[in-house]
Amino acid sequence: MPTTSLEKKYKLYPLDAEIERRARLLSIAGDPTRLRILCFMFKYKAASVTNIADSLGMTVACISHHLQMMKDNGYFTTKRIGKSIRYELVDSGFTKELAKVVLNCE
């Protein structure tokens, strides 16, 4: 007997650790300030907190807070250069896909 569309078996999408991780990453990217930081970093790939703050017209303290949160969630890595911290965009599948969504941010 043929199966009707109402009887079709669909794949289950349970709430698991990977779904929760993706939701957290998207939530972080959804903040307007962090989205502006991403626009900047997709263009320049790496910069100091001061450079990013100047470009966004915000305080170093505010940008530093957002960058730390993004670093803690895998968006960026850091390198110390003298007294300055340089943030670098992580080249991952997630950031590449996110860049496609955010590309028109100039």
XYZ file of all heavy atoms in Angstrom:
842
model
N 0.847 -1.169 0.000
C 0.000 0.000 0.000
C 0.900 1.242 0.000
O 1.816 1.355 0.798
C -0.919 -0.020 1.228
C -1.815 1.167 1.211
S -3.054 1.407 2.504
C -3.404 -0.054 3.304
N 0.654 2.223 -0.888
C 1.476 3.435 -0.950
C 1.304 4.288 0.312
O 0.242 4.338 0.913
C 0.972 4.174 -2.180
C -0.262 3.475 -2.630
C -0.380 2.184 -1.894
N 2.371 4.964 0.662
C 2.362 5.834 1.839
C 1.920 7.231 1.429
O 2.401 7.771 0.443
C 3.781 5.926 2.439
O 4.258 4.611 2.665
C 3.783 6.672 3.737
N 0.997 7.791 2.173
C 0.570 9.162 1.898
C 1.558 10.125 2.541
O 2.357 9.746 3.396
C -0.839 9.438 2.462
O -0.769 9.411 3.883
C -1.853 8.440 1.949
N 1.496 11.385 2.152
C 2.422 12.374 2.698
C 2.242 12.550 4.200
O 3.160 12.923 4.908
C 2.259 13.722 1.993
O 0.954 14.218 2.217
N 1.051 12.255 4.722
C 0.821 12.375 6.161
C 1.496 11.252 6.937
O 1.760 11.382 8.119
C -0.676 12.393 6.468
C -1.455 13.599 5.938
C -2.936 13.439 6.231
C -0.923 14.870 6.562
N 1.786 10.149 6.261
C 2.400 9.000 6.917
C 3.919 8.980 6.756
O 4.577 8.084 7.249
C 1.801 7.711 6.353
C 0.322 7.567 6.636
C -0.290 6.392 5.889
O 0.407 5.761 5.083
O -1.468 6.113 6.117
N 4.461 9.938 6.070
C 5.899 9.983 5.813
C 6.680 10.038 7.116
O 6.316 10.735 8.049
C 6.235 11.206 4.951
C 7.668 11.297 4.564
C 7.904 12.483 3.645
C 9.356 12.546 3.260
N 9.627 13.620 2.338
N 7.764 9.307 7.166
C 8.632 9.313 8.335
C 9.651 10.441 8.185
O 10.375 10.508 7.205
C 9.381 7.984 8.467
C 8.483 6.820 8.733
C 7.988 6.869 10.157
C 7.153 5.643 10.440
N 6.636 5.608 11.774
N 9.678 11.324 9.145
C 10.617 12.440 9.142
C 11.738 12.186 10.131
O 11.541 11.519 11.153
C 9.912 13.751 9.516
C 8.936 14.210 8.466
C 7.580 13.937 8.580
C 9.375 14.913 7.362
C 6.685 14.352 7.615
C 8.491 15.334 6.388
C 7.143 15.054 6.514
O 6.270 15.471 5.551
N 12.876 12.708 9.821
C 14.026 12.600 10.709
C 13.728 13.361 11.997
O 13.147 14.443 11.970
C 15.259 13.198 10.025
C 16.492 13.185 10.884
C 17.662 13.810 10.165
C 18.842 13.886 11.129
N 19.966 14.567 10.559
N 14.138 12.814 13.112
C 13.975 13.482 14.398
C 15.120 14.470 14.620
O 16.261 14.195 14.250
C 13.957 12.466 15.535
C 12.806 11.473 15.531
C 12.974 10.477 16.659
C 11.479 12.204 15.657
N 14.811 15.599 15.196
C 15.808 16.614 15.529
C 15.734 16.885 17.027
O 15.142 17.869 17.462
C 15.567 17.899 14.731
C 15.892 17.728 13.271
C 14.908 17.370 12.357
C 17.186 17.902 12.815
C 15.212 17.199 11.022
C 17.505 17.728 11.480
C 16.507 17.380 10.585
O 16.814 17.210 9.267
N 16.347 16.010 17.809
C 16.275 16.189 19.263
C 17.138 17.365 19.718
O 18.075 17.773 19.035
C 16.837 14.869 19.796
C 17.766 14.401 18.728
C 17.148 14.858 17.434
N 16.791 17.895 20.872
C 17.598 18.942 21.483
C 18.836 18.265 22.060
O 18.744 17.460 22.984
C 16.811 19.661 22.581
C 17.532 20.787 23.288
C 17.941 21.873 22.303
C 16.645 21.376 24.369
N 19.982 18.546 21.462
C 21.219 17.940 21.939
C 22.283 19.013 22.102
O 22.035 20.196 21.873
C 21.678 16.822 20.991
C 21.951 17.292 19.569
O 22.077 18.510 19.334
O 22.037 16.434 18.672
N 23.461 18.617 22.499
C 24.541 19.562 22.781
C 24.914 20.376 21.535
O 25.211 21.569 21.642
C 25.758 18.824 23.326
N 24.892 19.772 20.372
C 25.265 20.488 19.143
C 24.224 21.549 18.794
O 24.576 22.666 18.398
C 25.448 19.508 17.984
C 25.835 20.165 16.678
C 27.154 20.951 16.719
O 27.966 20.751 17.626
O 27.350 21.785 15.809
N 22.967 21.249 18.925
C 21.908 22.228 18.669
C 22.028 23.384 19.659
O 21.917 24.560 19.286
C 20.510 21.573 18.751
C 20.306 20.590 17.608
C 19.401 22.623 18.791
C 20.226 21.216 16.225
N 22.275 23.063 20.913
C 22.439 24.113 21.928
C 23.649 24.987 21.635
O 23.609 26.196 21.804
C 22.531 23.496 23.320
C 21.195 22.942 23.774
C 21.254 22.285 25.139
O 22.357 22.094 25.685
O 20.175 21.965 25.670
N 24.752 24.384 21.164
C 25.950 25.152 20.804
C 25.660 26.101 19.645
O 26.004 27.278 19.681
C 27.093 24.198 20.423
C 28.411 24.918 20.094
C 29.458 23.926 19.586
N 29.204 23.522 18.225
C 29.554 24.232 17.149
N 30.152 25.389 17.275
N 29.291 23.788 15.941
N 24.991 25.596 18.625
C 24.656 26.433 17.466
C 23.727 27.581 17.862
O 23.883 28.700 17.395
C 24.010 25.594 16.371
C 24.977 24.659 15.704
C 24.286 23.806 14.670
N 25.197 22.818 14.122
C 24.851 21.950 13.194
N 23.619 21.940 12.719
N 25.723 21.083 12.753
N 22.758 27.294 18.718
C 21.841 28.344 19.185
C 22.602 29.419 19.944
O 22.351 30.618 19.774
C 20.743 27.742 20.056
N 23.548 29.013 20.789
C 24.352 29.974 21.547
C 25.186 30.844 20.595
O 25.246 32.065 20.739
C 25.254 29.246 22.543
C 26.028 30.170 23.463
C 26.923 29.431 24.454
N 27.986 28.703 23.779
C 28.061 27.387 23.624
N 27.115 26.606 24.106
N 29.073 26.816 22.994
N 25.817 30.223 19.594
C 26.633 30.970 18.637
C 25.792 31.975 17.849
O 26.207 33.113 17.632
C 27.354 30.018 17.680
C 28.483 29.197 18.295
C 28.989 28.166 17.286
C 29.613 30.071 18.781
N 24.613 31.563 17.430
C 23.735 32.473 16.691
C 23.217 33.584 17.592
O 23.101 34.741 17.162
C 22.572 31.707 16.064
C 22.958 30.804 14.895
C 21.796 29.908 14.505
C 23.435 31.630 13.712
N 22.943 33.262 18.833
C 22.491 34.277 19.784
C 23.568 35.331 20.005
O 23.289 36.535 20.029
C 22.135 33.603 21.118
O 21.815 34.563 22.082
N 24.802 34.895 20.145
C 25.915 35.831 20.324
C 26.046 36.729 19.097
O 26.212 37.940 19.212
C 27.210 35.056 20.605
C 27.145 34.457 22.007
C 28.438 35.941 20.446
C 28.205 33.429 22.290
N 25.952 36.166 17.920
C 26.087 36.943 16.686
C 24.923 37.891 16.479
O 25.047 38.877 15.762
C 26.204 36.002 15.484
N 23.791 37.634 17.117
C 22.596 38.440 16.920
C 22.581 39.776 17.640
O 21.721 40.608 17.383
N 23.527 40.001 18.531
C 23.612 41.281 19.233
C 24.117 42.349 18.265
O 25.095 42.110 17.540
C 24.575 41.140 20.418
C 24.799 42.443 21.129
O 23.997 42.769 22.020
O 25.772 43.154 20.773
N 23.512 43.538 18.215
C 23.927 44.562 17.245
C 25.407 44.956 17.343
O 26.074 45.106 16.317
C 23.022 45.749 17.555
C 21.814 45.137 18.175
C 22.304 43.948 18.951
N 25.932 45.103 18.541
C 27.355 45.463 18.673
C 28.237 44.329 18.180
O 29.204 44.553 17.439
C 27.698 45.811 20.132
O 26.955 46.970 20.508
C 29.186 46.080 20.304
N 27.917 43.111 18.565
C 28.734 41.979 18.121
C 28.602 41.747 16.624
O 29.567 41.352 15.967
C 28.383 40.742 18.940
C 28.833 40.895 20.391
C 28.700 39.630 21.191
N 27.344 39.276 21.514
C 26.704 39.629 22.624
N 27.300 40.365 23.524
N 25.468 39.240 22.835
N 27.457 42.048 16.060
C 27.302 41.952 14.607
C 28.200 42.976 13.909
O 28.835 42.674 12.894
C 25.835 42.154 14.214
C 25.491 41.916 12.760
C 25.873 40.507 12.313
C 24.005 42.134 12.538
N 28.284 44.172 14.459
C 29.187 45.192 13.904
C 30.645 44.755 14.023
O 31.445 44.976 13.106
C 28.965 46.523 14.608
C 27.589 47.122 14.279
C 27.271 48.341 15.119
N 28.224 49.403 14.866
C 28.596 50.302 15.774
N 28.093 50.274 16.991
N 29.455 51.241 15.461
N 30.991 44.121 15.141
C 32.352 43.593 15.300
C 32.623 42.538 14.235
O 33.694 42.526 13.621
C 32.547 43.005 16.720
C 32.540 44.118 17.767
C 33.834 42.193 16.795
C 32.470 43.638 19.201
N 31.659 41.669 13.986
C 31.832 40.653 12.955
C 32.005 41.272 11.574
O 32.850 40.830 10.794
C 30.652 39.676 12.963
C 30.651 38.675 14.109
C 29.310 37.946 14.173
C 31.800 37.688 13.980
N 31.228 42.288 11.259
C 31.386 42.982 9.971
C 32.819 43.474 9.822
O 33.457 43.284 8.783
C 30.422 44.155 9.869
S 28.691 43.704 9.691
N 33.309 44.110 10.873
C 34.684 44.625 10.867
C 35.680 43.478 10.677
O 36.578 43.554 9.838
C 34.959 45.358 12.189
C 36.356 45.880 12.315
C 36.649 47.180 11.932
C 37.376 45.091 12.826
C 37.940 47.681 12.045
C 38.667 45.576 12.938
C 38.953 46.874 12.548
N 35.519 42.408 11.432
C 36.488 41.309 11.394
C 36.406 40.490 10.113
O 37.420 39.971 9.649
C 36.317 40.425 12.625
C 36.695 41.125 13.922
S 38.406 41.692 13.991
C 39.194 40.158 14.471
N 35.234 40.381 9.510
C 35.151 39.689 8.225
C 35.944 40.458 7.173
O 36.493 39.868 6.260
C 33.705 39.501 7.778
C 32.952 38.464 8.568
C 31.622 38.652 8.891
C 33.560 37.296 8.985
C 30.917 37.700 9.618
C 32.871 36.331 9.718
C 31.542 36.539 10.027
N 35.999 41.766 7.308
C 36.752 42.574 6.351
C 38.253 42.557 6.644
O 39.069 42.419 5.743
C 36.239 44.009 6.353
C 36.985 44.890 5.371
C 36.343 46.218 5.160
C 37.134 46.978 4.113
N 36.325 47.855 3.336
N 38.635 42.713 7.921
C 40.049 42.901 8.267
C 40.728 41.655 8.845
O 41.954 41.631 8.947
C 40.200 44.081 9.226
C 39.762 45.368 8.587
C 38.550 45.955 8.938
C 40.522 45.979 7.600
C 38.128 47.128 8.341
C 40.103 47.146 6.988
C 38.907 47.720 7.368
O 38.485 48.876 6.763
N 39.966 40.660 9.265
C 40.464 39.379 9.782
C 41.138 39.465 11.148
O 41.052 38.532 11.928
C 41.425 38.689 8.808
C 40.915 38.538 7.402
C 39.691 37.666 7.333
C 39.237 37.506 5.893
N 37.824 37.338 5.774
N 41.844 40.549 11.456
C 42.535 40.683 12.738
C 42.705 42.164 13.058
O 42.905 42.976 12.158
C 43.890 40.002 12.691
N 42.630 42.483 14.362
C 42.810 43.873 14.781
C 42.910 43.944 16.298
O 42.498 43.015 16.999
C 41.646 44.743 14.303
N 43.438 45.058 16.777
C 43.492 45.280 18.222
C 42.127 45.779 18.708
O 41.301 46.256 17.923
C 44.561 46.317 18.562
O 44.139 47.602 18.141
N 41.926 45.675 20.013
C 40.694 46.171 20.617
C 40.527 47.653 20.300
O 39.428 48.111 19.961
C 40.699 45.933 22.149
C 39.453 46.500 22.781
C 40.850 44.467 22.461
N 41.613 48.403 20.389
C 41.565 49.849 20.125
C 41.135 50.136 18.696
O 40.303 51.020 18.459
C 42.935 50.500 20.412
O 43.300 50.221 21.768
C 42.894 51.997 20.189
N 41.678 49.405 17.739
C 41.296 49.608 16.334
C 39.809 49.345 16.121
O 39.124 50.107 15.430
C 42.093 48.700 15.407
C 43.566 49.007 15.365
O 44.379 48.095 15.303
N 43.946 50.262 15.403
N 39.322 48.272 16.714
C 37.908 47.926 16.560
C 37.032 48.977 17.233
O 36.049 49.448 16.653
C 37.624 46.517 17.126
C 38.439 45.470 16.349
C 36.133 46.191 17.052
C 38.474 44.098 16.996
N 37.402 49.372 18.458
C 36.625 50.380 19.190
C 36.574 51.695 18.422
O 35.507 52.312 18.311
C 37.230 50.595 20.578
N 37.711 52.123 17.889
C 37.748 53.368 17.104
C 36.849 53.275 15.882
O 36.106 54.202 15.564
C 39.177 53.705 16.679
C 40.057 54.163 17.826
O 39.526 54.452 18.921
O 41.291 54.217 17.628
N 36.908 52.146 15.188
C 36.116 51.975 13.970
C 34.618 51.957 14.261
O 33.820 52.458 13.464
C 36.522 50.678 13.274
O 35.782 50.492 12.090
N 34.244 51.410 15.411
C 32.832 51.319 15.773
C 32.342 52.523 16.572
O 31.159 52.640 16.862
C 32.563 50.032 16.561
C 32.253 48.781 15.727
C 33.329 48.441 14.728
C 31.978 47.608 16.623
N 33.275 53.421 16.939
C 32.893 54.600 17.714
C 32.422 54.252 19.116
O 31.493 54.865 19.631
N 33.067 53.260 19.709
C 32.678 52.798 21.047
C 33.905 52.773 21.948
O 35.033 52.896 21.471
C 32.036 51.415 20.954
C 30.758 51.423 20.109
S 29.990 49.813 19.974
C 29.243 49.691 21.592
N 33.683 52.573 23.247
C 34.803 52.536 24.177
C 35.544 51.207 24.088
O 34.966 50.174 23.729
C 34.340 52.734 25.636
O 33.543 51.604 26.014
C 33.560 54.034 25.804
N 36.819 51.253 24.440
C 37.633 50.044 24.466
C 37.052 49.045 25.469
O 36.997 47.844 25.200
C 39.102 50.388 24.812
C 39.903 49.137 25.135
C 39.745 51.149 23.655
N 36.595 49.531 26.618
C 36.039 48.648 27.642
C 34.815 47.885 27.115
O 34.680 46.677 27.338
C 35.660 49.442 28.881
N 33.937 48.582 26.424
C 32.731 47.941 25.887
C 33.095 46.899 24.831
O 32.610 45.760 24.879
C 31.808 49.000 25.295
S 30.290 48.311 24.602
N 33.963 47.267 23.908
C 34.362 46.335 22.839
C 35.108 45.149 23.423
O 34.903 43.998 23.019
C 35.200 47.064 21.767
C 34.346 48.095 21.034
C 35.820 46.077 20.777
C 33.124 47.535 20.332
N 35.965 45.402 24.390
C 36.724 44.333 25.031
C 35.796 43.301 25.659
O 36.021 42.087 25.549
C 37.659 44.926 26.080
O 38.458 43.926 26.641
N 34.745 43.756 26.301
C 33.753 42.858 26.901
C 33.122 41.948 25.838
O 33.027 40.732 26.016
C 32.679 43.679 27.614
C 31.460 42.903 27.974
N 31.424 42.031 29.040
C 30.235 42.837 27.393
C 30.223 41.468 29.092
N 29.490 41.947 28.115
N 32.703 42.540 24.732
C 32.075 41.764 23.653
C 33.072 40.797 23.022
O 32.740 39.642 22.744
C 31.492 42.696 22.595
C 30.251 43.392 23.033
N 29.027 42.764 23.111
C 30.043 44.679 23.423
C 28.102 43.627 23.518
N 28.707 44.798 23.715
N 34.294 41.263 22.798
C 35.309 40.406 22.182
C 35.635 39.203 23.060
O 35.823 38.095 22.557
C 36.583 41.203 21.895
C 36.497 42.188 20.740
C 37.731 43.086 20.723
C 36.357 41.465 19.407
N 35.720 39.430 24.371
C 36.018 38.324 25.275
C 34.925 37.254 25.213
O 35.211 36.062 25.167
C 36.197 38.826 26.712
C 36.637 37.740 27.669
C 37.984 37.143 27.301
O 38.949 37.867 27.087
N 38.060 35.821 27.202
N 33.679 37.690 25.181
C 32.572 36.748 25.073
C 32.655 35.971 23.763
O 32.453 34.750 23.731
C 31.231 37.486 25.149
C 30.023 36.578 25.050
S 28.465 37.467 24.995
C 28.465 38.227 26.605
N 32.974 36.664 22.690
C 33.065 36.016 21.386
C 34.268 35.073 21.334
O 34.193 33.986 20.756
C 33.116 37.065 20.287
C 31.824 37.884 20.214
S 31.924 39.290 19.121
C 31.506 38.487 17.567
N 35.369 35.468 21.943
C 36.544 34.597 22.012
C 36.211 33.335 22.801
O 36.560 32.229 22.394
C 37.712 35.329 22.663
C 38.936 34.461 22.809
C 40.009 35.129 23.629
C 41.133 34.134 23.862
N 41.932 34.471 25.011
N 35.539 33.497 23.938
C 35.174 32.355 24.783
C 34.279 31.360 24.050
O 34.213 30.188 24.425
C 34.460 32.826 26.051
C 35.384 33.549 27.011
O 36.627 33.479 26.844
O 34.858 34.213 27.933
N 33.598 31.809 23.008
C 32.695 30.947 22.243
C 33.248 30.563 20.877
O 32.514 30.073 20.021
C 31.324 31.611 22.129
C 30.558 31.485 23.422
O 29.990 30.439 23.702
N 30.590 32.527 24.248
N 34.537 30.797 20.663
C 35.212 30.276 19.477
C 35.209 31.136 18.235
O 35.616 30.679 17.176
N 34.780 32.388 18.335
C 34.806 33.272 17.167
C 36.217 33.787 16.878
O 36.580 33.991 15.735
C 33.911 34.492 17.391
C 32.433 34.238 17.236
C 31.655 33.837 18.313
C 31.812 34.426 16.013
C 30.303 33.620 18.180
C 30.456 34.218 15.870
C 29.703 33.809 16.958
O 28.366 33.595 16.817
N 36.984 34.042 17.934
C 38.296 34.670 17.800
C 39.348 33.945 18.626
O 39.024 33.275 19.606
C 38.263 36.132 18.275
C 37.245 36.984 17.600
C 36.247 37.607 18.331
C 37.264 37.177 16.236
C 35.298 38.396 17.717
C 36.312 37.960 15.600
C 35.332 38.572 16.351
N 40.594 34.134 18.213
C 41.751 33.793 19.037
C 42.468 35.111 19.315
O 42.153 36.131 18.680
C 42.714 32.828 18.321
O 43.157 33.426 17.101
C 42.043 31.497 18.035
N 43.416 35.092 20.233
C 44.162 36.314 20.544
C 45.654 36.049 20.485
O 46.113 34.930 20.695
C 43.824 36.851 21.946
O 44.049 35.827 22.908
C 42.391 37.338 22.015
N 46.377 37.127 20.184
C 47.840 37.124 20.239
C 48.266 38.402 20.933
O 47.739 39.475 20.642
C 48.446 37.088 18.828
C 48.351 35.760 18.152
C 49.138 35.756 16.868
C 48.989 34.405 16.187
N 49.622 34.370 14.884
N 49.209 38.258 21.847
C 49.759 39.437 22.510
C 50.895 39.976 21.649
O 51.789 39.251 21.257
C 50.270 39.093 23.902
C 50.866 40.302 24.607
C 51.152 40.042 26.054
N 49.954 39.937 26.863
C 49.232 40.976 27.276
N 49.562 42.201 26.921
N 48.167 40.797 28.034
N 50.819 41.268 21.373
C 51.878 41.966 20.629
C 52.282 43.155 21.499
O 51.580 44.164 21.534
C 51.389 42.413 19.240
C 50.928 41.201 18.439
C 52.484 43.179 18.515
C 50.290 41.515 17.113
N 53.390 42.992 22.229
C 53.794 44.022 23.184
C 52.753 44.122 24.282
O 52.403 43.139 24.919
N 52.220 45.321 24.477
C 51.189 45.540 25.491
C 49.780 45.393 24.926
O 48.797 45.501 25.643
C 51.341 46.935 26.108
C 52.602 47.088 26.913
C 52.677 48.461 27.525
C 53.943 48.615 28.337
N 54.008 49.918 28.988
N 49.690 45.165 23.643
C 48.397 45.111 22.961
C 47.954 43.672 22.714
O 48.774 42.775 22.549
C 48.522 45.858 21.632
O 47.303 45.910 20.968
N 46.643 43.466 22.702
C 46.060 42.162 22.351
C 45.441 42.284 20.968
O 44.651 43.183 20.712
C 44.966 41.747 23.362
C 45.527 41.644 24.775
C 44.302 40.440 22.929
C 46.459 40.496 24.999
N 45.831 41.383 20.101
C 45.278 41.362 18.743
C 44.290 40.202 18.643
O 44.632 39.056 18.953
C 46.417 41.182 17.751
C 45.949 41.116 16.322
C 47.148 41.095 15.429
N 47.053 40.009 14.492
C 47.630 40.030 13.307
N 48.367 41.040 12.953
N 47.487 39.025 12.511
N 43.079 40.504 18.234
C 42.048 39.480 18.023
C 42.087 39.045 16.566
O 42.203 39.876 15.662
C 40.667 40.036 18.374
C 40.417 40.046 19.856
C 40.941 41.047 20.666
C 39.675 39.038 20.459
C 40.730 41.049 22.036
C 39.459 39.027 21.827
C 39.981 40.039 22.597
O 39.781 40.026 23.953
N 41.998 37.732 16.358
C 42.008 37.176 15.008
C 40.772 36.305 14.809
O 40.437 35.489 15.669
C 43.274 36.342 14.783
C 44.528 37.172 14.891
C 45.800 36.366 14.685
O 45.729 35.121 14.544
O 46.871 36.989 14.674
N 40.126 36.479 13.682
C 38.938 35.702 13.341
C 39.320 34.241 13.150
O 40.285 33.924 12.451
C 38.323 36.252 12.050
C 37.012 35.651 11.592
C 35.900 35.961 12.592
C 36.639 36.203 10.223
N 38.589 33.347 13.778
C 38.817 31.910 13.614
C 38.239 31.485 12.265
O 37.111 31.842 11.920
C 38.149 31.117 14.763
C 38.160 29.626 14.481
C 38.842 31.428 16.080
N 39.034 30.760 11.509
C 38.604 30.268 10.201
C 37.931 28.911 10.397
O 38.588 27.883 10.425
C 39.822 30.151 9.281
C 39.444 29.775 7.869
O 38.276 29.978 7.485
O 40.319 29.284 7.139
N 36.610 28.945 10.575
C 35.860 27.704 10.799
C 34.689 27.640 9.828
O 34.326 28.640 9.203
C 35.332 27.657 12.238
O 34.315 28.624 12.421
N 34.079 26.499 9.739
C 32.893 26.357 8.897
C 31.789 27.303 9.334
O 31.112 27.908 8.499
N 31.643 27.462 10.655
C 30.603 28.346 11.166
C 30.864 29.793 10.772
O 29.959 30.478 10.288
C 30.486 28.229 12.687
C 29.441 29.154 13.253
C 28.097 28.841 13.160
C 29.801 30.353 13.848
C 27.128 29.705 13.658
C 28.842 31.219 14.345
C 27.504 30.897 14.252
N 32.094 30.284 10.956
C 32.372 31.688 10.615
C 32.278 31.924 9.110
O 31.853 32.989 8.683
C 33.740 32.158 11.149
O 34.780 31.331 10.641
C 33.767 32.188 12.665
N 32.633 30.929 8.324
C 32.500 31.070 6.863
C 31.032 31.197 6.467
O 30.684 32.036 5.631
C 33.146 29.888 6.149
C 34.653 29.936 6.175
C 35.243 28.722 5.503
C 36.748 28.741 5.615
N 37.362 27.522 5.104
N 30.182 30.370 7.046
C 28.747 30.446 6.747
C 28.146 31.749 7.267
O 27.332 32.383 6.607
C 28.008 29.247 7.332
C 28.310 27.936 6.627
C 27.953 27.964 5.139
O 26.853 28.423 4.792
O 28.796 27.525 4.335
N 28.575 32.154 8.440
C 28.085 33.400 9.014
C 28.497 34.604 8.155
O 27.729 35.531 7.948
C 28.586 33.568 10.455
C 27.996 34.693 11.263
C 26.475 34.586 11.342
C 28.604 34.689 12.651
N 29.694 34.554 7.616
C 30.185 35.627 6.743
C 29.278 35.792 5.526
O 29.042 36.910 5.072
C 31.619 35.365 6.312
N 28.760 34.691 5.002
C 27.856 34.775 3.851
C 26.604 35.564 4.188
O 26.076 36.286 3.350
C 27.478 33.371 3.375
C 28.607 32.598 2.764
C 28.152 31.198 2.404
C 29.294 30.328 1.926
N 28.854 28.947 1.662
N 26.144 35.424 5.429
C 24.935 36.125 5.867
C 25.241 37.597 6.113
O 24.411 38.476 5.856
C 24.375 35.478 7.149
C 23.202 36.243 7.701
C 23.998 34.026 6.883
N 26.430 37.894 6.590
C 26.774 39.238 7.062
C 27.533 40.042 6.018
O 27.841 41.200 6.228
C 27.627 39.107 8.356
C 28.002 40.453 8.920
C 26.885 38.305 9.404
N 27.827 39.486 4.873
C 28.701 40.131 3.879
C 28.278 41.540 3.501
O 29.121 42.371 3.213
C 28.803 39.273 2.619
C 29.906 38.238 2.653
C 29.871 37.414 1.389
C 31.267 38.860 2.851
N 27.028 41.845 3.469
C 26.560 43.168 3.039
C 26.451 44.157 4.190
O 25.500 44.903 4.292
C 25.212 43.053 2.325
C 25.341 42.279 1.036
O 26.309 42.438 0.309
N 24.390 41.415 0.770
N 27.440 44.167 5.065
C 27.357 45.018 6.246
C 28.123 46.322 6.094
O 28.279 47.055 7.042
C 27.832 44.253 7.479
S 29.480 43.577 7.338
N 28.623 46.622 4.934
C 29.368 47.882 4.733
C 28.425 48.992 4.343
O 27.419 48.839 3.780
C 30.425 47.702 3.667
C 31.510 46.741 4.122
C 32.608 46.610 3.102
O 32.603 47.316 2.074
O 33.477 45.796 3.334
